[in-house]
Amino acid sequence: LRVLGGTGIVFQDMIFHSNDCYGSGNDGGVMYAERSSSVEFDRCIFHNNESYDHGSVVMWQSRGTLTMKNCLLYENDAGDAAELYIHYDDVTDPSNPVNGTVNITNCTFADNKQCNSATVYGAYGTTTLNNCIFYNNTPYYDVSGTITMNKCMYDAKHSSVTSNNEVSGNPTFANADSDDYRLKFGSTGIDAGDNSYVSGWSYDLAENARISNSTVDLGCYEATSCSEVSDAGSIASAQQNCGSFDPAAF
């Protein structure tokens, strides 16, 4: 996708799988956005996307607003820097570059690999992450640059990042080896978010209620009786009652 402007652009309930930008520009494996673009991704999955250089998922070079909510980003591979790379718009008027805004809420970043800076890199602009999970990503940092994190769980961040009310611990996914990134019973990510960031939301990535108890969970999935299994051996038993789990089905 190359977005050259426009507002009200919404991608909902979509899967972006095995895209790459080799040979067609080096940045933005799924999307390259510039000028005054404003784009929202809601309940989307990004899997196995690649870029030769920046942004295996998104290269954001817009003065507009990027919104991502209830999204799962896993096993993507940026050749140089970041699954999400946030820059500024220097295309509209090269003599007057203008920063954009990025808001990422209740997203899960897991098992992304082989980029040299961070999973999310905010080189410029205002980037805010709320109620997000970062786990087992292989860059130097999960997050780097001019970024504010609120109520997030992560492995490592650069000193340039501000983290407020961070959540410690392991997210304890149901079965990450089988691409099941729901939270398992006992995860410190359950009931650990801030409801104010999801005000008015109805559903999580799997279209379950976004808040199942009194407090929203971290990440793209809300724990339910189907996902709150106590160990990997209990998954089959849970699936007998809830149906087998396939992230690509959502």
Side-chain angles (χ1 to χ4, degrees):
L1 301 170
R2 186 170 184 182
V3 183
L4 303 180
T7 60
I9 302 168
V10 178
F11 299 94
Q12 188 175 69
D13 297 323
M14 298 186 70
I15 297 171
F16 299 89
H17 175 72
S18 297
N19 298 283
D20 72 69
C21 57
Y22 288 87
S24 59
N26 296 327
D27 302 322
V30 173
M31 183 181 74
Y32 184 103
E34 59 185 37
R35 296 186 170 90
S36 298
S37 309
S38 286
V39 179
E40 176 178 309
F41 292 97
D42 182 17
R43 301 197 304 267
C44 292
I45 294 174
F46 302 86
H47 175 232
N48 198 41
N49 301 290
E50 298 183 12
S51 65
Y52 182 77
D53 203 346
H54 301 330
S56 64
V57 175
V58 172
M59 174 67 180
W60 189 253
Q61 200 164 354
S62 168
R63 63 184 62 197
T65 299
L66 170 64
T67 301
M68 301 184 74
K69 55 186 186 180
N70 295 321
C71 291
L72 171 63
L73 300 87
Y74 72 106
E75 296 176 354
N76 301 288
D77 185 358
D80 187 3
E83 273 47 79
L84 302 180
Y85 192 98
I86 299 102
H87 207 258
Y88 52 64
D89 170 30
D90 58 357
V91 177
T92 303
D93 181 358
S95 66
N96 182 31
V98 177
N99 294 330
T101 301
V102 176
N103 297 310
I104 303 170
T105 304
N106 279 92
C107 292
T108 298
F109 300 80
D111 298 323
N112 297 292
K113 52 193 174 182
Q114 292 185 353
C115 71
N116 295 325
S117 57
T119 304
V120 178
Y121 179 54
Y124 298 92
T126 301
T127 300
T128 305
L129 296 101
N130 309 306
N131 297 344
C132 289
I133 292 174
F134 291 83
Y135 180 73
N136 198 39
N137 302 293
T138 56
Y140 297 120
Y141 303 104
D142 290 314
V143 184
S144 182
T146 54
I147 293 177
T148 299
M149 304 173 73
N150 301 305
K151 280 283 189 173
C152 292
M153 179 185 294
Y154 58 89
D155 296 323
K157 70 173 182 67
H158 191 269
S159 59
S160 60
V161 175
T162 299
S163 179
N164 301 312
N165 301 312
E166 62 193 54
V167 180
S168 61
N170 187 318
T172 319
F173 296 123
N175 191 350
D177 290 341
S178 297
D179 300 339
D180 186 348
Y181 293 98
R182 296 175 297 170
L183 299 178
K184 191 161 64 174
F185 180 78
S187 168
T188 55
I190 294 176
D191 296 339
D194 185 327
N195 291 354
S196 67
Y197 300 124
V198 298
S199 177
W201 295 18
S202 298
Y203 303 111
D204 69 353
L205 177 58
E207 297 191 348
N208 294 311
R210 182 60 269 192
I211 301 176
S212 63
N213 293 319
S214 60
T215 306
V216 67
D217 298 342
L218 300 186
C220 57
Y221 294 114
E222 192 77 6
T224 67
S225 58
C226 298
S227 61
E228 288 184 354
V229 292
S230 58
D231 56 60
S234 301
I235 293 175
S237 175
Q239 288 175 342
Q240 290 179 359
N241 297 321
C242 305
S244 60
F245 180 78
D246 178 4
F250 302 103

